[in-house]
């Protein structure tokens, strides 16, 4: 079945630095991917919709200059957290939709734990 | 707009008990419906799905039926195990650039 891979799974960075998280659809093309943030014991918070070849669409309250999203190809979207601060520490998850027999299915990456120290 | 409502947790059960987690949705059109499971410290995994009315999704002993008349997609399992302890998310989506809609998640705790 369709697979979405996220890398890295775990990353620790110093405050003030930038970190990039990759999201790849391994066996299907995804014109649209979604980036979520999840705080401990809470639901998913949609951050932005990543569109291949165009600018991402950010949800209200999400700083586009801080969370840079690039969807350079049909199989890769990246999220870069710029000038990271400890409050950016969170679990980030991407998803993409694959057209399967009978309909569409949303697949998720494994998630990336970001810790800013 | 579209929404998904699922029962609040935590749901606490003894091993081998029957499980039901309720999920209802509102949507324009006819979305696909999904249940995802998130084990502690991990990402979301697709558990099952249904793409049209009266479809039944099933996997690992879990089942859910797409009920258009009641706009529901309740998750059931006849006999839960300790290893089923996780957070379960109900979701609707139509693919492409259509933003998936998620419930808030229901935590399931199964005691031996």
């Amino acid at each position: 079945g369709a697979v979405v891979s996220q890398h890295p799974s775990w990353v620790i960075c110093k405050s003030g630095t930038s970190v990039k998280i990759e999201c790849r659809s391994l066996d299907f093309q995804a014109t649209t991917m979604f980036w979520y943030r999840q705080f401990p014991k809470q639901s998913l918070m949609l951050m932005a919709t990543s569109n291949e070849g165009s600018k991402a669409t950010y949800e209200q309250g999400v700083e586009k200059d801080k969370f840079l999203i690039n969807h350079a190809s049909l199989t890769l979207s990246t999220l870069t957290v710029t000038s990271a601060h400890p409050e950016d520490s969170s679990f980030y998850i991407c998803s993409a939709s694959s057209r399967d027999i009978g309909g569409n299915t949303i697949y998720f990456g494994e998630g990336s734990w970001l810790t800013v120290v | 707009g579209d929404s998904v409502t699922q029962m609040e947790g935590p749901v606490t059960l003894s091993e081998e008990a029957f499980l039901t987690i309720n999920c209802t949705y509102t949507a324009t059109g006819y979305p696909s419906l999904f249940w995802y499971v998130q084990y502690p410290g991990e990402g979301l995994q697709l558990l099952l799905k249904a793409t049209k009315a009266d479809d039944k999704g099933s996997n690992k002993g879990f089942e859910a039926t797409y009920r258009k008349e009641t706009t529901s997609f309740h998750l059931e399992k006849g006999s839960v195990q300790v290893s089923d302890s996780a957070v379960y998310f109900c979701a609707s989506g139509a693919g492409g650039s259509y933003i998936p809609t998620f419930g808030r998640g229901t935590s399931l705790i199964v005691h031996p």
Side-chain angles (χ1 to χ4, degrees), chain B residues 33-35 46-50 57-59 62-64 73 75:
Chain B
L33 300 175
F34 311 90
W35 275 101
L46 177 66
L47 181 59
L48 54 84
K49 70 172 185 177
S58 61
N59 185 26
F62 290 90
E63 293 183 342
F73 193 55
L75 181 69

Side-chain angles (χ1 to χ4, degrees), chain A residues 16-99:
Chain A
T17 63
S18 296
V19 60
K20 180 185 288 187
I21 300 170
E22 293 186 347
C23 179
R24 295 182 183 271
S25 56
L26 296 186
D27 53 0
F28 67 99
Q29 294 182 334
T31 55
T32 303
M33 292 184 176
F34 304 94
W35 285 96
Y36 297 85
R37 183 173 180 177
Q38 186 180 34
F39 293 100
K41 298 184 179 181
Q42 295 190 26
S43 188
L44 304 169
M45 183 190 80
L46 179 65
M47 299 175 65
T49 302
S50 172
N51 303 298
E52 187 268 337
S54 65
K55 292 182 179 180
T57 303
Y58 290 82
E59 295 300 298
Q60 191 173 11
V62 177
E63 298 177 60
K64 62 181 180 181
D65 294 331
K66 180 168 187 61
F67 299 100
L68 300 179
I69 291 173
N70 185 3
H71 197 148
S73 75
L74 288 171
T75 59
L76 173 64
S77 175
T78 60
L79 168 67
T80 302
V81 183
T82 63
S83 187
H85 291 284
E87 57 265 31
D88 298 325
S89 299
S90 189
F91 190 50
Y92 294 88
I93 310 174
C94 70
S95 72
S97 179
S98 171
R99 176 168 286 279

Side-chain angles (χ1 to χ4, degrees), chain B residues 5-11 19-22 35-36 38 86-90 103-109:
Chain B
T5 303
Q6 58 184 105
M7 62 189 290
E8 289 191 24
V11 173
L19 168 71
T20 299
I21 300 179
N22 291 336
W35 275 101
Y36 293 88
Q38 184 177 32
V87 179
Y88 293 82
F89 290 91
C90 184
R104 297 176 62 85
T106 302
S107 175
L108 170 65
I109 301 170

